Amino acid sequence: MHKLVNLFSKKTTVGHPVDINYAAVIRSIMARFYEKIDTQKALVSRLNSDLRFKLSLGFLYSEPVPSEATYSRFMKTLSQNFELLEEINGDFLQIIQSEFDIFEENVAYDATSIEARTKHKKTDNPKLPATQEQRKMSTEEILAIIPTSPSWGVKKNSKGKNTYWFGYKATLAVTTQSQYILQMLISSAFTADVSVVIPVIRKTHELTHSFKAEKHYHEGKHHGCLDKGYDAQAIYEEMHEMHIEPIIDMKKLAENDGEIDENCAPTCLLEYGHSYDSYDKRYGALKYIRPEAHCRECPLRNEGLYQKVIKIKQETSSRMYNRPARGTLSWQKIYNQRSSVERVNAYLKDSYQLNQTRFYNHKHAHAEFLLMQLAYNAKPC
């Protein structure tokens, strides 16, 4: 925590000495999340009434408990140093990686709504560049134009009905097995999920790529799992450039003349889909074989019209042809790992007060979200 503590250290040796234990203040804020202490006022009250809790956080017996004003000044300083909080989160993930090899896992991406306590008001919602345009921009340029102030948002629930909230939207990147948060991007609620995921993918790749062997990509070991809200050609292209295989549920397949089935597999003359066999890494092609279950009693079996093997290069359409292919048990098994990010979203809201931020200033709220990420990743250790 020394990087955060240095923000509050004296720059000169003259003047009144610093009499606040800022290292303990940082621990107390993080402890507030998983102790389910709602407000800073309640935290100060708990520290005054629970000596064991106070000492466990690093406060000395003789030290006075910091006031609410001290905590407010502390959060104001953190809100002006987002880059430092992000750097600390990255450094901590590197430590976790050295112990548990979490960067070798697949990554799931998803967005969740966050309600704000700010007074509801109408906002001007600028249109963000399309995903294809974002691919031509740097990560810093994209982040600079993503709005972060609270606004109205709308999203369909599991029953297909629209739900509305005023606040923010958090886009998370989570490891699918250990469920650590690799990245958390906060944006205004009105932003579309697909419009803010590219910088999250890029920053996650910057964090993990040096630990991932490129040979694993050719073996199909690294996957990114996303729901159908991210089904855009630019997302597939972006992830392929990073040697990540995107596993994304397709929104809708374009109409065709029966040349492919609902899983994009090529069909025979009777429009039965071929079965996926393997991936030929020499040519970057998916190998399909004829559907034997339908071929046994087919009247065209002995007419010489069958093509036993069909190979389709993945670059033909990176959106239609995944590795492993759509519709296979292997594809579905990897896609099911996407539920890990949904569990993390629900856990942050239930146990870490993600949906109950107490700050009216959106910059203070963002600093709290980054501390929440740090506290969440620290607790499993």
Side-chain angles (χ1 to χ4, degrees):
M1 295 296 178
H2 66 278
K3 291 183 179 180
L4 287 178
V5 175
N6 288 340
L7 291 175
F8 306 93
S9 61
K10 290 185 60 177
K11 302 299 185 288
T12 62
T13 57
V14 299
H16 192 276
V18 176
D19 55 359
I20 298 175
N21 188 343
Y22 281 107
V25 170
I26 297 169
R27 296 191 196 98
S28 66
I29 291 179
M30 295 173 62
R32 181 172 74 85
F33 299 131
Y34 47 79
E35 288 289 328
K36 298 184 179 180
I37 302 174
D38 294 336
T39 62
Q40 292 179 354
K41 181 178 180 180
L43 175 60
V44 172
S45 177
R46 171 77 179 274
L47 289 170
N48 281 315
S49 61
D50 190 341
L51 180 60
R52 180 177 295 180
F53 180 64
K54 173 184 173 181
L55 296 178
S56 70
L57 296 173
F59 288 106
L60 299 179
Y61 180 82
S62 59
E63 289 178 337
V65 173
S67 64
E68 291 181 57
T70 299
Y71 279 100
S72 296
R73 290 193 296 270
F74 181 85
M75 291 302 299
K76 181 179 179 180
T77 302
L78 291 185
S79 68
Q80 299 168 349
N81 294 272
F82 285 111
E83 297 80 6
L84 182 59
L85 283 173
E86 292 177 347
E87 180 183 342
I88 291 173
N89 272 299
D91 292 344
F92 186 56
L93 285 167
Q94 302 278 4
I95 297 173
I96 298 173
Q97 157 65 20
S98 65
E99 294 289 337
F100 305 111
D101 291 330
I102 61 172
F103 294 166
E104 288 294 327
E105 301 176 22
N106 293 332
V107 180
Y109 302 84
D110 199 11
T112 187
S113 60
I114 303 176
E115 295 184 2
R117 290 178 60 86
T118 308
K119 184 178 179 180
H120 297 181
K121 59 181 180 180
K122 186 177 180 181
T123 57
D124 295 329
N125 301 337
K127 185 177 180 181
L128 296 178
T131 51
Q132 286 290 358
E133 297 179 20
Q134 290 187 23
R135 294 201 64 231
K136 304 175 184 177
M137 304 167 61
S138 66
T139 305
E140 291 72 21
E141 291 173 338
I142 300 174
L143 292 174
I145 61 176
I146 292 179
T148 56
S149 300
S151 66
W152 281 103
V154 57
K155 198 170 187 179
K156 288 187 180 296
N157 58 22
S158 58
K159 298 181 180 179
K161 296 183 179 180
N162 288 335
T163 57
Y164 300 88
W165 78 97
F166 185 82
Y168 314 97
K169 178 177 288 187
T171 303
L172 272 65
V174 175
T175 55
T176 56
Q177 297 179 25
S178 55
Q179 297 182 20
Y180 284 99
I181 302 175
L182 300 181
Q183 289 294 329
M184 176 186 285
L185 175 64
I186 307 298
S187 59
S188 299
F190 76 89
T191 56
D193 294 359
V194 71
S195 298
V196 295
V197 75
I198 285 183
V200 177
I201 294 172
R202 288 179 178 176
K203 295 183 75 172
T204 303
H205 177 67
E206 291 174 4
L207 178 67
T208 63
H209 80 281
S210 60
F211 294 89
K212 293 184 175 181
E214 188 172 338
K215 66 177 183 179
H216 288 175
Y217 169 73
H218 298 293
E219 297 171 1
K221 290 187 177 180
H222 291 153
H223 299 88
C225 309
L226 306 93
D227 63 22
K228 65 174 61 178
Y230 300 96
D231 182 29
Q233 182 65 31
I235 304 300
Y236 293 90
E237 295 173 355
E238 185 75 23
M239 298 185 81
H240 278 162
E241 283 190 3
M242 300 174 183
H243 301 304
I244 303 171
E245 183 62 34
I247 302 297
I248 308 175
D249 192 15
M250 188 176 288
K251 291 179 181 177
K252 186 179 179 181
L253 186 63
E255 293 184 5
N256 60 85
D257 297 330
E259 297 177 353
I260 56 176
D261 63 8
E262 66 275 7
N263 294 316
C264 305
T267 59
C268 64
L269 292 177
L270 299 183
E271 298 186 3
Y272 289 113
H274 284 60
S275 301
Y276 173 72
D277 180 73
S278 60
Y279 179 79
D280 191 340
K281 60 183 180 182
R282 295 174 300 173
Y283 306 105
L286 282 73
K287 178 182 177 182
Y288 292 89
I289 58 176
R290 66 184 184 183
E292 293 293 344
H294 299 285
C295 292
R296 296 189 186 98
E297 300 178 359
C298 180
L300 303 177
R301 182 180 180 88
N302 300 319
E303 299 295 327
L305 301 176
Y306 267 104
Q307 186 172 348
K308 292 184 178 181
V309 176
I310 297 178
K311 290 186 177 181
I312 302 176
K313 286 191 174 182
Q314 192 175 17
E315 63 184 21
T316 303
S317 176
S318 56
R319 176 173 176 259
M320 294 171 58
Y321 300 109
N322 295 162
R323 172 165 54 109
R326 296 180 185 277
T328 61
L329 184 61
S330 299
W331 186 95
Q332 189 62 46
K333 185 177 180 180
I334 298 172
Y335 180 74
N336 289 343
Q337 296 177 11
R338 191 188 60 82
S339 61
S340 59
V341 68
E342 295 180 343
R343 287 193 293 272
V344 172
N345 285 338
Y347 187 73
L348 289 176
K349 291 183 178 181
D350 292 341
S351 302
Y352 280 71
Q353 308 170 48
L354 178 64
N355 219 23
Q356 299 174 7
T357 177
R358 299 288 175 171
F359 293 102
Y360 291 89
N361 188 308
H362 69 276
K363 292 184 178 180
H364 287 57
H366 293 181
E368 184 180 49
F369 297 145
L370 290 173
L371 283 173
M372 198 175 296
Q373 176 188 351
L374 186 62
Y376 171 85
N377 286 337
K379 189 179 180 184
C381 296

